[in-house]
Amino acid sequence: VGKMEDAPKAGPPPILAATTGRVARLMEDYGFIETDDGDEHYFHRNAVAGKAFGQLSEGTAVSFVVEDGPQGPQAARVKAVERRTAAS
């Protein structure tokens, strides 16, 4: 009688490093974030923390993580942040 192999154990999802950018374009239910290095990431209104989607506007500084979505990488856990400048 052969031994049953242990099934891979599901653990918590990997911790993803947050990155920052700014809202480049904003539509009714989704938008695009541009990072400082020029990458652009799609996000859906459901990816915005809390009910803050309506408080975002083009140019708003945000933090987010990149996750695999149904059509490729997309921004998740999006939240507005105060962007510091060299003068502050």
Side-chain angles (χ1 to χ4, degrees):
V1 178
K3 290 184 180 181
M4 256 179 112
E5 290 187 32
D6 288 334
K9 295 180 182 176
I15 297 173
L16 304 173
T19 188
T20 58
R22 66 173 183 80
V23 177
R25 290 175 285 157
L26 201 57
M27 302 353 175
E28 187 173 327
D29 288 329
Y30 63 95
F32 293 90
I33 298 169
E34 185 176 338
T35 62
D36 292 336
D37 59 6
D39 289 339
E40 195 168 80
H41 300 281
Y42 162 87
F43 70 97
H44 188 269
R45 72 178 305 124
N46 294 338
V48 180
K51 296 183 179 186
F53 182 80
Q55 297 172 353
L56 295 178
S57 60
E58 291 182 7
T60 301
V62 293
S63 70
F64 63 98
V65 296
V66 178
E67 295 182 346
D68 285 330
Q71 297 184 358
Q74 64 185 43
R77 294 185 246 160
V78 178
K79 65 179 182 177
V81 296
E82 189 174 316
R83 181 161 273 186
R84 296 182 181 247
T85 62
S88 43

